[in-house]
């Protein structure tokens, strides 16, 4: 039995899993890296190493891709009846649901988020994603097409799986990001090589065991642990991969695009954001205060769609900023597994330094700290206090760049002209999401149309559902995750045209 020294609050079962000899899933078997190399996994609440996982490199990537290739070209998965594929996805969803507490513990320990949040958020959303996509397997259809140019033909389209898919995910929602990628690709009949984020491999490795238990055939899902350069780069470049789906930074997204050029594999990208939350004076102010605070502080601001630019009408600016700042000041920082935790540590030392660096740069450029600041007061672990900055200007780094931490810039506006505030909201290279807070229906819908972003929330923020498409305009990405739209990422369309002349 494992010692509980990794964290005394972790259940024995989870501790046993965490401290096991971890293996990657390649071709239906659990294997070490070909080189035998491993790398450490840290607990962000105290910076200690909790376990080691295999370090995949080009040779492991090649083995995994060739297994996925064989499974696609020769195996049962793409040829299985859609209802059978759906049944297996539902079985996987049931298995994950049965292990909800275990997955929530792993997410909390590995990523730092509160156990309670993972338990009611990450894990149920994951389960629902597999169920929702299980339902789509039987509804993927082509069309019959009347032809305009004369002659007698019977023409139709077939929707076929794109083939072997490489998937690369980040660390902010380790299990849920795996589900957003795996579930639709599996529903479409693709085979997969998934690379987990180096910071948070544990829930994905546990998921690999349930994937086998659910009866997904060997080679269909291969799961690798490794670094971006050592494993992610050769995966994105591999010539036997037909498509790469990536979630992460815009910077690495551009590298993925270059790596994909060799064999012109299809690419979808879910990248960064700098999402505005816009509060009009007629909003329900209590709702707007708690909603915009949660827009930025949820998941410690480590959300690509975090509401990191808070635009508030000058009539209610002080009230909203005071409200959000007072919520920020009262948030209890603690390790994610501590029942009192309202906000855990950031995921890593690197991310901690990045976020603190942004707060310091904002202050150096003249921003005022209305709550929080660069010093957390917590001795160990990568904790950053939820921070509200005012007195910013549009050219400051904190206003322009994605911070990916619990830091919001509050900016007043006084424009009567709604187009002016839309222009300010759109003044970014990103276009992932936005929220609008108002009781005025006309205003809400006008702003929703004017914002160049893949999601606009009205009187809410960070609402996710398997049915809602999610993705970016501009440099926030290509393609959509979730909903019916995501199926386009994993399907090819074949036109079949039969002459009826005999
Ligand atoms: P990242 O470097 O873009 O990592 C995302 C994934 O890509 C990870 O699995 C990473 O592996 C992998 N990767 C890195 N370099 C690669 C390469 N050359 N080829 C193929 N794959 C590669 O993001 P990060 O370093 O974890 O975080 C940095 C910043 O990215 C954050 O501060 C935030 O601004 C942004 N971010 C955005 C999202 C989002 O959801 N849009 C999510 C996470 C981060 P490793 O884990 O080994 O690096
Ligand atoms: Mg990285």
């Amino acid at each position: 039995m494992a010692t509980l020294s990794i964290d005394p609050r972790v259940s024995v079962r989870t501790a046993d899993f965490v401290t096991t000899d971890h293996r990657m899933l390649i071709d239906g078997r659990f294997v070490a890296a070909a080189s035998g190399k491993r790398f450490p996994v840290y607990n962000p609440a105290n910076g200690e190493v909790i376990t080691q996982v295999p370090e995949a490199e080009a040779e492991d990537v090649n083995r995994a891709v060739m297994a996925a290739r064989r499974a696609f070209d020769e195996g049962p998965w793409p040829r299985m009846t859609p209802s059978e594929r759906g049944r297996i996805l539902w079985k996987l969803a049931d298995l994950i649901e049965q292990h909800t507490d275990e997955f929530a513990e792993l997410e909390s320990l590995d990523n730092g988020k509160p156990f309670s949040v993972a338990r009611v958020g990450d894990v149920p959303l994951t389960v629902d994603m597999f169920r929702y996509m299980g339902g789509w397997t039987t509804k993927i259809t082509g069309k019959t097409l009347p032809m305009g140019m004369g002659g007698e033909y019977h023409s139709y389209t077939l929707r076929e799986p794109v083939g072997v898919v490489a998937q690369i995910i980040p660390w902010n929602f380790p299990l849920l990001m795996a589900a957003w990628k795996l579930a639709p690709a599996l529903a479409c009949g693709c085979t997969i090589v998934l690379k987990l984020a180096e910071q948070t491999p544990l829930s994905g490795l546990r998921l690999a065991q349930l994937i086998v238990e659910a009866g997904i055939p060997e080679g269909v899902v291969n799961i690798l642990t490794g670094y971006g350069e050592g494993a992610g780069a050769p995966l994105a470049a591999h010539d036997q991969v037909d498509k790469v789906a990536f979630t992460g930074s815009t910077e690495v997204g551009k590298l993925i695009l270059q790596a994909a050029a060799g064999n012109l594999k299809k690419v979808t990208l879910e990248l960064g954001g700098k999402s505005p939350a816009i509060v009009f004076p007629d909003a329900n102010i209590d709702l707007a205060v708690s909603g915009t605070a949660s827009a930025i502080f949820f998941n410690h601001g480590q959300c690509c769609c975090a509401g990191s630019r808070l635009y508030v009408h000058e009539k209610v600016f002080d009230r909203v900023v005071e409200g959000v700042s007072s919520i920020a000041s009262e948030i209890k920082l603690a390790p994610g597994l501590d029942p009192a935790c309202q906000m855990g540590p950031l995921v890593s030392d690197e991310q901690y330094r990045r976020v603190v660096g942004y707060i310091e740069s904002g202050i150096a450029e003249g921003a005022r700290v209305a709550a929080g600041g660069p010093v957390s007061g917590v001795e160990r672990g990568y904790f950053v206090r939820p921070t509200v900055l005012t007195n910013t200007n549009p050219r400051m780094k904190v206003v322009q760049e994605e911070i990916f931490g619990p830091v919001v810039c509050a900016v007043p506006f006084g424009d009567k002209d709604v187009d002016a505030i839309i222009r300010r909201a759109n003044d970014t290279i990103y276009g992932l999401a936005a929220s609008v807070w108002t009781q005025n229906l006309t205003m809400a819908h006008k702003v929703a149309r004017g914002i160049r972003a893949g999601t606009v929330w009205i009187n809410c923020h960070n609402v996710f559902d398997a049915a809602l498409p999610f993705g970016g305009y501009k440099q926030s990405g290509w393609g959509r995750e979730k909903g019916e739209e995501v199926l386009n990422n994993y399907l090819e369309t074949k036109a079949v045209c039969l002459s009826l002349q005999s």
Side-chain angles (χ1 to χ4, degrees):
M1 191 189 294
T3 78
L4 299 186
S5 65
I6 50 170
D7 189 310
R9 289 163 290 223
V10 163
S11 67
V12 173
R13 190 170 59 168
T14 298
D16 275 342
F17 174 73
V18 171
T19 51
T20 195
D21 178 15
H22 289 288
R23 303 291 172 108
M24 305 183 286
L25 177 60
I26 299 182
D27 210 8
R29 280 186 294 279
F30 287 93
V31 297
S35 67
K37 283 195 210 164
R38 302 192 302 163
F39 65 95
V41 180
Y42 297 90
N43 176 356
N46 58 21
E48 286 172 8
V49 174
I50 47 176
T51 191
Q52 307 265 339
V53 295
E55 182 182 336
E57 292 177 319
E59 188 178 343
D60 309 285
V61 167
N62 190 49
R63 266 197 301 164
V65 171
M66 295 322 288
R69 185 80 264 165
R70 272 193 307 280
F72 187 78
D73 293 343
E74 299 158 27
W77 190 252
R79 292 157 197 88
M80 200 175 267
T81 62
S83 62
E84 179 68 357
R85 272 207 305 274
R87 192 189 61 74
I88 293 174
L89 288 179
W90 271 72
K91 180 156 183 207
L92 178 57
D94 289 347
L95 285 170
I96 299 166
E97 192 168 47
Q98 285 158 24
H99 295 87
T100 295
D101 284 0
E102 192 185 344
F103 276 111
E105 282 186 320
L106 288 173
E107 291 302 64
S108 181
L109 190 62
D110 208 4
N111 165 282
K113 66 179 70 194
F115 169 79
S116 55
V117 171
R119 196 171 178 282
V120 300
D122 301 56
V123 185
L125 283 166
T126 298
V127 170
D128 194 51
M129 186 69 187
F130 280 106
R131 290 210 177 112
Y132 175 85
M133 284 298 159
W136 269 113
T137 57
T138 47
K139 288 145 203 94
I140 296 170
T141 57
K143 291 179 176 166
T144 53
L145 305 166
M147 307 258 284
M149 297 304 288
E152 278 201 283
Y153 297 96
H154 170 50
S155 301
Y156 61 94
T157 53
L158 292 172
R159 300 282 273 156
E160 298 181 335
V162 70
V164 174
V165 178
Q167 302 185 322
I168 299 174
I169 58 170
W171 41 259
N172 51 347
F173 296 89
L175 181 67
L176 186 60
M177 290 299 105
W180 281 19
K181 291 279 183 280
L182 292 172
L186 288 170
C188 292
C190 295
T191 63
I192 298 154
V193 180
L194 170 71
K195 190 198 86 68
L196 306 171
E198 79 192 47
Q199 298 86 349
T200 53
L202 297 180
S203 57
L205 288 172
R206 183 70 182 101
L207 179 66
Q209 297 177 337
L210 298 188
I211 282 171
V212 173
E213 196 179 330
I216 294 179
E218 61 189 34
V220 172
V221 178
N222 304 274
I223 297 189
L224 302 179
T225 47
Y227 292 113
E229 272 184 29
L235 180 57
H238 203 292
D239 68 359
Q240 291 301 308
V241 169
D242 300 299
K243 191 238 152 65
V244 55
F246 170 80
T247 298
S249 60
T250 294
E251 185 190 349
V252 174
K254 290 177 184 175
L255 296 177
I256 298 286
L257 204 51
Q258 288 166 16
N263 69 337
L264 286 182
K265 57 178 69 70
K266 314 285 187 270
V267 179
T268 44
L269 303 168
E270 204 269 273
L271 307 175
K274 191 75 185 172
S275 299
I278 308 169
V279 182
F280 288 96
D282 69 333
N284 173 336
I285 297 298
D286 290 342
L287 186 75
V289 164
S290 61
T292 57
S294 147
I296 181 63
F297 301 140
F298 170 65
N299 213 41
H300 321 166
Q302 300 169 132
C303 293
C304 43
C305 49
S308 50
R309 291 181 295 145
L310 175 58
Y311 293 105
V312 187
H313 195 276
E314 59 194 12
K315 277 195 199 150
V316 291
F317 184 78
D318 288 347
R319 214 174 129 199
V320 171
V321 170
E322 271 161 32
V324 172
S325 301
S326 122
I327 290 175
S329 309
E330 279 160 24
I331 287 176
K332 168 125 184 77
L333 297 181
L337 286 157
D338 183 334
C341 171
Q342 291 176 319
M343 185 181 280
L346 301 189
V347 72
S348 65
D349 189 38
E350 184 187 354
Q351 198 61 16
Y352 167 82
R353 287 171 199 279
R354 223 179 109 90
V355 174
V356 170
Y358 271 111
I359 298 173
E360 285 168 345
S361 100
I363 295 168
E365 288 186 276
R368 195 178 75 78
V369 177
V375 180
S376 79
V378 186
E379 244 172 62
R380 302 169 76 206
Y382 312 130
F383 292 92
V384 174
R385 283 227 61 85
T387 296
V388 180
L389 301 177
T390 57
N391 272 5
T392 58
N393 71 58
R395 302 270 70 87
M396 283 183 187
K397 260 171 64 157
V398 279
V399 178
Q400 284 296 323
E401 295 180 17
E402 180 175 49
I403 298 175
F404 225 65
V407 183
V408 66
C409 298
V411 181
F413 69 93
D415 320 290
K416 289 206 180 56
D417 176 10
V418 60
D419 292 335
I421 185 60
I422 291 172
R423 271 197 301 278
R424 289 178 82 176
N426 284 334
D427 180 21
T428 160
I429 60 166
Y430 297 112
L432 193 58
S435 61
V436 190
W437 302 81
T438 176
Q439 314 250 32
N440 179 333
L441 273 177
T442 310
M443 182 71 88
H445 290 292
K446 257 192 179 166
V447 177
R449 285 177 185 217
I451 298 276
R452 304 263 307 144
T455 296
V456 177
W457 287 292
I458 300 171
N459 295 328
C460 56
H461 198 115
N462 286 337
V463 175
F464 304 105
D465 192 277
L468 288 174
F470 184 83
Y473 285 32
K474 301 195 278 183
Q475 291 192 39
S476 288
W478 289 359
R480 293 293 176 271
E481 311 253 30
K482 306 190 292 149
E484 184 177 358
E485 291 255 337
V486 70
L487 301 173
N488 296 325
N489 296 359
Y490 297 109
L491 293 170
E492 294 274 22
T493 300
K494 180 180 282 173
V496 181
C497 176
L498 166 85
S499 166
L500 291 174
Q501 274 170 355
S502 47

